[in-house]
Amino acid sequence: MNICNKKYKAILLIFLSVVLRSFAQSGETVTLTIDEAVDYARAHSRALKSADIDLEIAKRASDNAWNVFLPDVQATGTLSRTTDISSSLEQQNTLLRFFGRPPVSETESMHWAAVGNLSAGLNLSLAYIGQIRAAKAGYEGGKITREQTERKTITNVKKLFFGLLLQRDNLAIQRETLENARRRSVQAAVNYRNGRIPELQLLQAQVQYENQIPETEQAETSLAQQLDMFVFLLGMPSGTKIELAGSIDPALIDVDADDLIATYGNSSLALRSLDNNIEMLEHNLSSLDFASFSPALSLNWNYQPMLRDALDSNWFDKDNWNDNGAFSATLAWNITNMLPFSSNRQKAKDLRANLEKLKISREQLTENQKLEVRTAINTLDQAKRQIASMQRNVELAQRSYAMTLRSYQNGTTELLDLRDAERQLNQARLGLANQRYQYITALLNLEETLNTDLTVKSTAATTKGGTR
């Protein structure tokens, strides 16, 4: 089932990429939901692509960590010429005379010799075990770092998405305010021609309308720029016009700080990363101790065939070659490294000190996480109360504005009173949107801290409870 889901998501992402490129070329607008934005960022985020490369490097190091047991094999071939062979030739002729044979004369071939060499060396040490384990732990740490990057990217995309929705809602309020100002300006012109209001009220309505135009245009430009930046951050084709589908209406959840810490405390990516660093440091320390207190075995084998008179001898006659090779096995134990004041032991002490620092940092991180969770829960609870209060405030402000508008249209209320009622309504609506955005941001930060999706789990728990 998981494989099918992955294939299905991959097909959807490829299809979405093709569609987005075609829309970018045609200039049409693409509508994106938050899930589609997250999926696209997962597939095209430059930060995630860079993290994938780092993970591939760590994986390759882990998969090939055993290569420390590969022997060092080297093959060489040398053709050399000796400049002066008089001494060796004299010795040879002395032997020939002793056996009653005629001496030989010096030839060019006697100066030349062919030497081949095939050597293999293998060093064995218990320290390699720690090195291999450290490489494996490094790969696990790379996976944690990749997961951290993905979680951070997703959180940032969601925050930007809802931030743009907040900016869009603000623009919608400004547009509505601008339209109301335009209508009041038109109505004031009609009332002025009918002699119902003085010219001063007409001018006030027109000035309010004209003042609202540049503010609205500036908000429109700012939103368009932010959308272009969002397109860039998602890795979409340049020039893609997007429209966000969704609203700032979070699902309010009830959570307990102690339950969250007990359930998801160990799921924190920051804690897992720190645990991985501790594990790597322990393996490095183990490797250093093995290198200090255990001997290393060095195996060397050398095959060295040599052919004299290389220019005249038959290279393919094995009787013309002699072997100067050798085999050796050496057990080496560095006694100095065992001394407590040696550089090796000082490095070990530094590693142990750093290991203690990491353990202290883990304790501190655990306590900080508990504090962050409790702070986030308090923020969520406060935001929930503010949302409920501001929802009531919006209803009251809406009723006040409607009543003031009717009074203004009946000529019993001044324009200034209407503008005050409208401003109070806009402040209430923006305040509600801001509190909802603050709730979403706090919830996303809490989910990132605990490395979990609380909204999904809360919805699942509610559905399960309803089924019962």
Side-chain angles (χ1 to χ4, degrees):
M1 181 64 71
N2 291 334
I3 297 177
C4 294
N5 289 336
K6 290 181 179 179
K7 290 182 178 179
Y8 178 68
K9 286 184 177 180
I11 294 173
L12 282 179
L13 287 173
I14 294 174
F15 175 74
L16 181 60
S17 300
V18 174
V19 171
L20 287 174
R21 293 188 182 278
S22 63
F23 275 130
Q25 295 174 357
S26 63
E28 298 184 22
T29 301
V30 181
T31 301
L32 275 182
T33 64
I34 188 169
D35 291 333
E36 291 172 343
V38 168
D39 289 339
Y40 196 90
R42 276 197 176 104
H44 298 87
S45 170
R46 295 172 180 85
L48 289 179
K49 289 180 179 179
S50 178
D52 287 336
I53 295 175
D54 292 337
L55 182 60
E56 179 61 27
I57 294 174
K59 183 179 185 300
R60 187 164 58 250
S62 174
D63 292 343
N64 297 283
W66 57 269
N67 60 15
V68 293
F69 295 109
L70 287 176
D72 183 16
V73 180
Q74 186 175 11
T76 62
T78 304
L79 183 64
S80 63
R81 183 185 186 279
T82 304
T83 303
D84 185 9
I85 61 171
S86 58
S87 59
S88 61
L89 183 62
E90 180 63 28
Q91 293 176 0
Q92 182 180 358
N93 285 335
T94 301
L95 289 174
L96 289 176
R97 292 190 190 98
F98 179 78
F99 289 105
R101 295 180 182 180
V104 295
S105 301
E106 180 179 345
T107 62
E108 177 63 23
S109 178
M110 295 179 182
H111 290 264
W112 291 89
V115 182
N117 187 75
L118 178 63
S119 62
L122 177 61
N123 295 322
L124 299 175
S125 173
L126 293 176
Y128 292 163
I129 299 175
Q131 295 178 14
I132 294 174
R133 290 176 176 174
K136 300 293 184 182
Y139 174 50
E140 294 301 320
K143 291 195 290 187
I144 295 174
T145 301
R146 170 61 172 76
E147 192 175 353
Q148 283 179 309
T149 304
E150 181 176 1
R151 168 64 71 173
K152 189 67 176 179
T153 300
I154 293 174
T155 300
N156 289 338
V157 168
K158 288 182 177 180
K159 287 181 179 179
L160 287 172
F161 189 93
F162 286 111
L164 289 171
L165 290 182
L166 178 62
Q167 197 170 352
R168 186 189 67 181
D169 291 348
N170 185 19
L171 177 59
I173 292 175
Q174 287 186 289
R175 286 174 175 171
E176 183 179 343
T177 303
L178 177 63
E179 177 62 19
N180 291 337
R182 186 194 66 81
R183 292 176 180 176
R184 287 195 293 268
S185 177
V186 173
Q187 183 63 40
V190 173
N191 292 340
Y192 175 73
R193 288 196 299 270
N194 294 332
R196 298 177 59 185
I197 61 174
E199 185 179 3
L200 178 60
Q201 291 187 11
L202 171 62
L203 294 176
Q204 289 176 341
Q206 291 176 340
V207 168
Q208 182 194 6
Y209 172 63
E210 295 296 334
N211 287 338
Q212 193 68 33
I213 293 177
E215 295 180 5
T216 306
E217 290 179 348
Q218 183 178 0
E220 290 175 345
T221 302
S222 177
L223 178 60
Q225 292 173 347
Q226 293 300 319
L227 288 173
D228 290 339
M229 181 60 67
F230 190 59
V231 166
F232 172 77
L233 293 176
L234 290 180
M236 290 183 174
S238 178
T240 303
K241 301 299 181 183
I242 63 172
E243 182 178 346
L244 305 183
S247 60
I248 306 179
D249 189 14
L252 305 182
I253 61 175
D254 293 322
V255 289
D256 181 75
D258 293 331
D259 291 341
L260 288 179
I261 294 172
T263 305
Y264 305 110
N266 293 328
S267 300
S268 168
L269 291 174
L271 283 177
R272 287 169 54 190
S273 178
L274 201 53
D275 288 338
N276 179 261
N277 290 336
I278 292 174
E279 182 183 359
M280 288 182 62
L281 206 57
E282 289 175 342
H283 290 318
N284 288 330
L285 180 59
S286 174
S287 176
L288 189 60
D289 287 340
F290 276 128
S292 301
F293 300 110
S294 64
L297 178 62
S298 177
L299 302 177
N300 292 280
W301 172 81
N302 176 259
Y303 172 61
Q304 191 178 61
M306 184 174 181
L307 175 67
R308 298 187 182 278
D309 297 339
L311 298 183
D312 292 339
S313 299
N314 183 3
W315 286 50
F316 299 99
D317 188 354
K318 64 179 182 179
D319 294 332
N320 292 335
W321 294 86
N322 62 306
D323 181 16
N324 295 328
F327 170 79
S328 66
T330 304
L331 191 64
W333 200 338
N334 193 323
I335 305 300
T336 303
N337 285 339
M338 293 190 296
L339 300 177
F341 45 81
S342 66
S343 61
N344 190 287
R345 289 293 83 204
Q346 295 304 311
K347 291 180 181 178
K349 290 179 181 179
D350 291 342
L351 286 178
R352 287 192 174 90
N354 288 326
L355 187 59
E356 290 301 319
K357 286 175 60 179
L358 285 179
K359 291 179 179 179
I360 294 174
S361 297
R362 192 190 189 285
E363 294 177 359
Q364 183 178 3
L365 183 60
T366 302
E367 295 302 318
N368 286 341
Q369 177 183 275
K370 294 178 182 179
L371 180 61
E372 289 178 3
V373 170
R374 297 185 189 280
T375 301
I377 297 299
N378 291 334
T379 302
L380 290 175
D381 292 340
Q382 181 181 4
K384 286 165 61 176
R385 293 191 297 268
Q386 291 292 334
I387 289 173
S389 175
M390 289 187 174
Q391 284 176 336
R392 295 190 296 269
N393 191 29
V394 169
E395 295 174 358
L396 294 175
Q398 184 67 51
R399 291 176 56 190
S400 174
Y401 174 74
M403 295 173 64
T404 306
L405 178 61
R406 285 195 298 269
S407 298
Y408 175 76
Q409 291 173 345
N410 294 330
T412 58
T413 300
E414 297 292 335
L415 176 61
L416 182 60
D417 296 331
L418 179 61
R419 291 172 58 184
D420 288 340
E422 184 181 40
R423 183 171 59 254
Q424 291 174 359
L425 174 60
N426 290 341
Q427 289 177 348
R429 293 165 64 184
L430 286 176
L432 177 60
N434 276 312
Q435 282 301 321
R436 286 174 172 173
Y437 176 73
Q438 294 299 325
Y439 183 89
I440 292 174
T441 301
L443 183 59
L444 289 174
N445 290 335
L446 181 60
E447 290 179 342
E448 184 179 0
T449 300
L450 298 176
N451 189 32
T452 187
D453 296 320
L454 297 174
T455 306
V456 175
K457 288 180 172 55
S458 177
T459 303
T462 303
T463 304
K464 187 175 181 180
T467 304
R468 292 177 183 175

